[in-house]
Amino acid sequence: MSCQQNSSVEPTFPPTKAYYSFRVFKLTDPNQPRNEVGFDTLTYRAEDGTIRILTNRTIYFTNEYDTTIYANVPTDRVLEGYLSSSKAKNVIIEVGLIDKTGAKRTQDYQSTGAMNQSQAVPVRLRVRKEVPLGEISTAN
């Protein structure tokens, strides 16, 4: 261990993969099997700590839509995601790590829904989780 002046040694962690899983649901009308649903805004925290934004995506689906984004864990170990959808009835966000075997290890999970949703009121959901160092070590 060195006690040199101006020593700015920061701890380095091996790159650990994280994932953000965003799901939007809308009850399927049996008379209309092809439903339209999508998100107005989806944001997630990238490896460099910046927030990436995807907007105005529309999806045609049968039962549900799921998009998973993979990124390295930011140096501050904060996983943060946000989803807003004016066409979905339920929204789920899951964040976690990918371990060395490729398995998903959930860190946090949030879900919300609107029973009598007006088209003018979007369903919104945010999740923010600081990943413990022990979890990163175990995943690597």
Side-chain angles (χ1 to χ4, degrees):
M1 185 73 139
S2 171
C3 293
Q4 296 174 359
Q5 190 175 6
N6 299 328
S7 176
S8 61
V9 177
E10 292 186 25
T12 57
F13 305 105
T16 303
K17 284 286 186 193
Y19 73 92
Y20 300 85
S21 182
F22 299 92
R23 297 184 191 104
V24 291
F25 300 88
K26 183 177 177 184
L27 297 177
T28 302
D29 178 355
N31 299 322
Q32 177 95 26
R34 188 174 186 223
N35 291 285
E36 179 182 319
V37 75
F39 51 83
D40 304 324
T41 305
L42 182 153
T43 68
Y44 66 97
R45 205 148 195 265
E47 178 181 359
D48 59 4
T50 61
I51 299 294
R52 304 285 169 89
I53 302 171
L54 301 173
T55 58
N56 297 324
R57 303 293 173 100
T58 300
I59 302 101
Y60 294 93
F61 76 111
T62 304
N63 291 313
E64 68 178 81
Y65 178 72
D66 177 4
T67 186
T68 301
I69 296 170
Y70 298 92
N72 286 333
V73 176
T75 54
D76 59 6
R77 306 186 327 271
V78 173
L79 301 179
E80 187 173 8
Y82 170 79
L83 177 65
S84 170
S85 175
S86 59
K87 296 177 181 171
K89 293 284 186 185
N90 297 80
V91 171
I92 296 172
I93 300 177
E94 180 182 315
V95 297
L97 301 177
I98 305 290
D99 68 18
K100 58 188 170 192
T101 67
K104 290 182 177 179
R105 302 173 68 146
T106 304
Q107 291 294 309
D108 203 356
Y109 174 95
Q110 297 290 329
S111 172
T112 191
M115 290 304 180
N116 298 316
Q117 177 188 346
S118 162
Q119 288 298 329
V121 180
V123 177
R124 294 185 174 100
L125 188 63
R126 181 180 310 274
V127 65
R128 180 181 169 90
K129 173 71 175 179
E130 181 176 348
V131 181
L133 282 174
E135 287 290 321
I136 290 179
S137 300
T138 306
N140 285 331

